[in-house]
């Protein structure tokens, strides 16, 4: 069997379990909240309207969320907390999950093959590229932390030393 098909099948199972599990955790969290001190807030008319809208129109959002990075978990959790009916959620999960698995299987296999060839044919270049990537990511992290620290100090009114 073709490695892309096997990879896509494996990723599809993973995404169904992960996203379905996130939905289930959202469902459980909502059930707990309905029995807690937040029950009054959850029963407010505004919240009920939002819940009905997500129950009715949320399936396309769930399906499309699989084509984004970082929004999938939030969309599935929200669908669970807002008690989206399974009859709407499952088709969105199956379609969106299949798209996600195919995209990641084809792109992922291609990237791995290129990296494998790079390391096999030009080991020094491959190691150099890996080191450059690690240094670039590390530099970006340090830069952002320093920038955020300076912004926090300015927000608190403390003087910020000039680094130039």
């Amino acid at each position: 069997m073709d490695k892309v098909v096997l990879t896509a099948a494996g990723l599809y199972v993973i995404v169904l379990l992960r996203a379905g599990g996130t939905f289930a955790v959202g469902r459980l969290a909502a059930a707990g909240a309905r029995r807690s001190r937040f029950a009054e807030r959850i029963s407010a008319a505004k919240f009920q309207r939002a819940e009905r809208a997500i129950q009715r129109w949320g399936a396309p959002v769930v399906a499309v969320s699989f084509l984004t990075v970082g929004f999938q978990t939030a969309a599935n959790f929200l669908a669970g907390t807002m008690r989206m009916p399974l009859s709407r959620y499952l088709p969105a999960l199956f379609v969106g999950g299949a798209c996600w698995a195919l995209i990641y299987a084809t792109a992922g296999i291609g990237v791995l093959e290129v990296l494998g060839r790079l390391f096999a044919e030009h080991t020094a270049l491959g190691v150099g590229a890996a080191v450059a990537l690690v240094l670039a990511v590390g530099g970006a992290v340090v830069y952002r932390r320093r920038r955020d620290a300076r912004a926090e100090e300015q927000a608190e009114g403390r003087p910020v030393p000039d680094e130039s």
Side-chain angles (χ1 to χ4, degrees):
M1 194 180 254
D2 186 36
K3 60 185 165 187
V4 173
V5 173
L6 285 174
T7 303
L11 288 172
Y12 189 57
V13 169
I14 290 169
V15 77
L16 292 180
L17 293 173
R18 182 181 56 87
T22 304
F23 176 83
V25 168
R27 265 285 163 99
L28 292 172
R34 283 174 173 61
R35 291 186 208 105
S36 72
R37 61 186 173 142
F38 299 110
E40 291 177 14
R41 293 181 186 156
I42 293 172
S43 61
K46 195 174 194 179
F47 188 87
Q48 296 292 326
R49 280 194 306 275
E51 188 175 59
R52 282 193 302 275
I54 289 172
Q55 288 174 353
R56 183 166 185 188
W57 303 106
V61 173
V62 169
V64 171
S65 76
F66 288 96
L67 303 178
T68 67
V69 174
F71 181 61
Q72 300 166 27
T73 303
N76 285 283
F77 185 78
L78 185 62
T81 58
M82 294 293 167
R83 299 185 301 177
M84 181 185 292
L86 285 175
S87 62
R88 293 182 187 270
Y89 176 74
L90 289 177
L93 172 63
F94 293 145
V95 170
C99 292
W100 179 88
L102 289 172
I103 289 169
Y104 274 81
T106 54
I109 292 289
V111 168
L112 288 176
E113 286 177 350
V114 167
L115 288 175
R117 258 188 263 123
L118 177 65
F119 277 99
E121 296 172 7
H122 306 286
T123 306
L125 182 61
V127 170
V131 168
L133 179 63
V134 168
L135 289 174
V137 169
V141 168
V142 168
Y143 170 77
R144 290 190 76 182
R145 284 187 179 173
R146 286 184 180 172
R147 183 191 66 195
D148 293 346
R150 277 194 301 271
E152 188 175 311
E153 288 174 355
Q154 286 177 339
E156 293 174 355
R158 291 186 281 174
V160 178
D162 186 22
E163 292 187 12
S164 52

